[in-house]
Amino acid sequence: MARLIVLGGGVAGHTAATFAADWLGREHEVVVVTPNSKWNWIPSNIWVGVGQMTKEEVTFDLAPVYNKAGITYKQAKAVSLNPEGNASSDKPFVTIEYTGQGKAGESEEVTYDYLINATGPKLNFAATPGLGDANGLGEFTVSVCTADHADHAAHELAKCIEKMKKGERQKFLVGTGHGMCTCQGAAFEYIFNIEHEINKAGVRDMADIKWISNESFMGDFGMGGLHMKVGGYVVSSRIFTESLFAERGVEYIIGAHVNRVEKGKVSYELLDGSMGEETFDFSMLIPPFAGVGLKAYNKAGEDITDTVFAPNGFMKVDANYTPKPYEEWKASDWPRTYQNPSYKNLFAAGIAFAPPHIISKPMKSPNGTVINPTPPRTGMPSGIIGKAVAHSVCDLIKKGPSAHLHEASMAEMGAACVASAGKGWLDGQAAAMTVYPVVPDHEKYPGTGRDTDYTFGEIGLAGHWIKHILHFLFIYKAKLKPFWKVIPE
Amino acid sequence: MAVRPEEFNFAKNDKFHTAMIPGKTARFFRTCKIWQFIRFVIINIKMIIVVSKSH
Ligand SMILES: Cc1cc2nc3c(=O)[nH]c(=O)nc-3n(C[C@H](O)[C@H](O)[C@H](O)COP(=O)(O)OP(=O)(O)OC[C@H]3O[C@@H](n4cnc5c(N)ncnc54)[C@H](O)[C@@H]3O)c2cc1C
């Protein structure tokens, strides 16, 4: 009997664990180690953040689902890996620290045959003074990264709307809280949901809404922008995005590294080296992401964290990490199997793997401050990678160590994104976008780096309906309801 | 002549001035239920193709 441990019960980990349990059957054991007791459909946190959904609608308890799937569930966080075992045993193990199940604070060493690291991001609020600290989100801004954060954001937003109704002008600042953030799409969706709610409340003329982002141009989205077919033209996402902001009267600051947050004020540096300040009454700034800080030790107990993990804390996989200039970046630099090069029974999936480099053009201010988005690893790629990695591990267990590994390169897969504005079935709208592939391949698609037949975007009710359907479909799938396997990631 | 409401934002700042802002017809089609139903079918087909090419 082999044991697979999946670290992280988010999009990638949950997908990997549920497929692996299904494919392996009761002959082998699948263990999920995750500190959360609930699964969260994170994209709908946006609607929680404007008070249009409750956090209960976007989360559900993991324990009954894992029980049904025959998965051993440990509500705990992984602390360190010993991929060679220790002095007394060759068996690799992970050290975990319980966060629930009546054992909070207790440590345990759990041995494994295979391990998938799907621990996602650490929300690194501490990277920007005032945005937060080691304990997480600070007191001056709000966040929508977790359901609890989003719930808090909704209450703060409601207070601002009340003030506007009483005649007090309010200033909203939404975007990225550091020069090296990713996840611009979430902030983008949130700002237009705020705008929609303020409009609905009849106080749009009392609100100044501003976007602040580390992107060097509007519509970069951490993917170096994209080109899509619209109205017979092939246009840059820059045109599409600038149009949306102009249409809705939302001003913007781009190329910005937010370097300090205080009560009602952010300070920032721009790509041209100049410094600026912006005041706000309400602000949602996405924090930069880092790995969750897992440590690794060899058999002798020596620290080998640098061997297993990249400096940003994400796990090294089969990517080409050789530093090279932007002009020499290739689609083939991106990993295919997500297997750790040093320990072949270790895999990473979703945000937890270390990308070879960013996707957007690297940028620095004259002061040497790096201001460029880091690469997004959104829900669809995270799910697809989780499934491919689970498939590889199942084959290794069932067919032996020479089994062929399954591949899922982000340079050969697309992503579908729907950014809503509003929640109502008839009064909301959304920008529906697909990009294929996520990582541009300039050899295969000279010109734009992507296939413009499958990279498209449009705004309307249709995309909005799709956003609603995705919400119900993915929660249904994650709960392992009948036919869950036929719903694609 | 009174400014058309959809053109109002062009005058707000230099960035908006050079942006593309949808006019009445484009806005109408975004919320026209029949047209959006057709787009819904088309976007779904496109997304399914992208999803299947990605697996
Ligand atoms: C507000 C918001 C909106 C978004 N909207 C969209 C969208 O519309 N479309 C889209 O495609 N993507 C969207 N995304 C991105 C999407 O949520 C992520 O791509 C996806 O969640 C990544 O999956 P993951 O499994 O890598 O990480 P996560 O889903 O974050 O899962 C990581 C898991 O690991 C657990 N964990 C953390 N530390 C440890 C540890 N030490 N040990 C064990 N487990 C640990 C966490 O508790 C969590 O359960 C959005 C993100 C945000 C923040």
Side-chain angles (χ1 to χ4, degrees):
Chain A
M1 184 186 194
R3 180 185 284 157
L4 161 66
I5 296 186
V6 179
L7 304 181
V11 173
H14 191 73
T15 307
T18 48
F19 274 102
D22 186 66
W23 290 327
L24 291 173
R26 306 280 157 139
E27 255 175 82
H28 303 283
E29 189 187 11
V30 177
V31 179
V32 171
V33 174
T34 191
N36 43 306
S37 63
K38 289 179 187 287
W39 193 82
N40 177 204
W41 175 237
I42 299 173
S44 294
N45 287 358
I46 300 293
W47 283 339
V48 177
V50 289
Q52 291 300 305
M53 262 193 184
T54 61
K55 56 181 185 173
E56 288 72 28
E57 286 174 278
V58 300
T59 56
F60 64 81
D61 283 329
L62 280 172
V65 175
Y66 288 156
N67 195 22
K68 177 164 84 177
I71 293 170
T72 308
Y73 167 44
K74 292 181 186 282
Q75 195 192 332
K77 62 174 197 234
V79 180
S80 60
L81 302 178
N82 280 61
E84 302 170 6
N86 58 15
S88 53
S89 164
D90 289 342
K91 192 82 182 162
F93 66 90
V94 53
T95 305
I96 65 170
E97 194 181 297
Y98 279 90
T99 55
Q101 297 175 325
K103 298 191 230 175
E106 280 178 35
S107 279
E108 186 182 330
E109 289 175 0
V110 193
T111 59
Y112 63 83
D113 297 287
Y114 291 92
L115 183 137
I116 299 174
N117 172 16
T119 44
K122 169 174 130 186
L123 303 173
N124 195 10
F125 290 104
T128 305
L131 187 63
D133 56 26
N135 298 319
L137 177 65
E139 57 185 313
F140 307 130
T141 60
V142 298
S143 151
V144 286
C145 291
T146 70
D148 284 327
H149 285 170
D151 189 49
H152 165 244
H155 285 100
E156 295 301 310
L157 178 64
K159 285 185 207 163
C160 291
I161 292 180
E162 275 316 304
K163 284 185 188 164
M164 288 188 288
K165 283 184 176 163
K166 288 185 184 137
E168 200 181 321
R169 229 183 149 72
Q170 295 286 288
K171 202 164 166 185
F172 298 83
L173 184 70
V174 175
T176 54
H178 189 274
M180 289 174 70
C181 284
T182 180
C183 221
Q184 289 76 15
F188 171 86
E189 187 173 1
Y190 191 54
I191 199 168
F192 287 111
N193 270 277
I194 289 180
E195 201 267 341
H196 181 90
E197 290 308 319
I198 290 174
N199 235 326
K200 221 168 75 183
V203 286
R204 180 65 182 91
D205 55 336
M206 296 299 290
D208 299 309
I209 309 179
K210 203 172 242 187
W211 171 251
I212 185 162
S213 165
N214 58 346
E215 298 156 290
S216 66
F217 62 91
M218 295 291 278
D220 178 289
F221 295 126
M223 295 186 291
L226 48 119
H227 287 81
M228 49 197 164
K229 279 188 183 154
V230 182
Y233 288 80
V234 177
V235 297
S236 158
S237 48
R238 173 179 180 162
I239 312 281
F240 193 74
T241 312
E242 286 182 351
S243 168
L244 196 57
F245 278 71
E247 177 195 344
R248 306 260 175 161
V250 177
E251 291 185 32
Y252 50 87
I253 303 167
I254 48 172
H257 162 60
V258 170
N259 51 24
R260 173 169 291 279
V261 181
E262 291 161 75
K263 187 172 167 51
K265 188 173 90 178
V266 300
S267 310
Y268 60 83
E269 176 181 347
L270 293 181
L271 271 169
D272 64 8
S274 62
M275 306 290 171
E277 283 180 357
E278 195 64 39
T279 57
F280 63 81
D281 297 293
F282 174 101
S283 177
M284 197 293 290
L285 299 175
I286 297 271
F289 291 174
V292 299
L294 295 179
K295 293 271 182 199
Y297 302 99
N298 66 11
K299 203 168 167 53
E302 291 156 347
D303 193 326
I304 52 160
T305 307
D306 290 357
T307 312
V308 181
F309 296 95
N312 55 13
F314 296 121
M315 200 167 109
K316 288 184 190 167
V317 291
D318 60 323
N320 180 354
Y321 294 111
T322 316
K324 48 186 170 177
Y326 174 70
E327 293 68 32
E328 292 172 25
W329 291 356
K330 284 204 161 75
S332 56
D333 297 339
W334 286 74
R336 306 185 70 81
T337 66
Y338 304 89
Q339 188 178 42
N340 181 264
S342 310
Y343 299 99
K344 303 292 180 195
N345 57 350
L346 277 186
F347 291 81
I351 293 176
F353 83 82
H357 42 68
I358 62 172
I359 304 175
S360 306
K361 199 168 183 174
M363 301 263 173
K364 258 186 197 170
S365 77
N367 313 318
T369 310
V370 175
I371 308 179
N372 50 221
T374 47
R377 276 144 290 160
T378 54
M380 184 171 148
S382 297
I384 293 176
I385 295 167
K387 187 174 175 182
V389 164
H391 217 157
S392 296
V393 171
C394 292
D395 282 355
L396 288 168
I397 291 174
K398 288 183 153 179
K399 299 180 185 162
S402 55
H404 175 73
L405 299 182
H406 293 260
E407 298 184 351
S409 166
M410 278 177 58
E412 287 165 17
M413 81 171 75
C417 297
V418 185
S420 65
K423 175 169 172 279
W425 282 90
L426 296 180
D427 75 338
Q429 288 196 26
M433 270 186 276
T434 65
V435 49
Y436 186 87
V438 178
V439 174
D441 184 339
H442 290 283
E443 285 169 6
K444 201 161 167 191
Y445 308 106
T448 72
R450 297 197 176 93
D451 186 338
T452 47
D453 283 339
Y454 301 107
T455 302
F456 70 93
E458 67 176 71
I459 297 172
L461 261 179
H464 193 65
W465 295 333
I466 294 172
K467 168 101 188 171
H468 272 278
I469 290 170
L470 292 181
H471 169 89
F472 291 108
L473 220 53
F474 283 116
I475 291 182
Y476 181 93
K477 179 181 164 86
K479 285 183 174 172
L480 310 185
K481 297 258 178 108
F483 305 109
W484 64 274
K485 278 177 281 179
V486 299
I487 300 169
E489 286 63 50
Chain B
M1 196 176 118
V3 65
R4 294 192 174 100
E6 68 271 21
E7 292 174 13
F8 182 76
N9 283 359
F10 280 121
K12 279 192 175 165
N13 64 45
D14 286 352
K15 288 176 186 162
F16 293 177
H17 192 70
T18 52
M20 179 177 82
I21 296 185
K24 251 188 184 162
T25 316
R27 286 175 202 233
F28 168 77
F29 277 109
R30 283 181 183 179
T31 51
C32 166
K33 287 164 202 92
I34 299 170
W35 177 242
Q36 286 300 315
F37 181 73
I38 298 167
R39 295 310 303 164
F40 176 76
V41 174
I42 294 170
I43 297 171
N44 267 300
I45 293 170
K46 285 190 169 188
M47 283 189 170
I48 289 167
I49 297 173
V50 170
V51 168
S52 56
K53 279 167 78 79
S54 304
H55 275 73

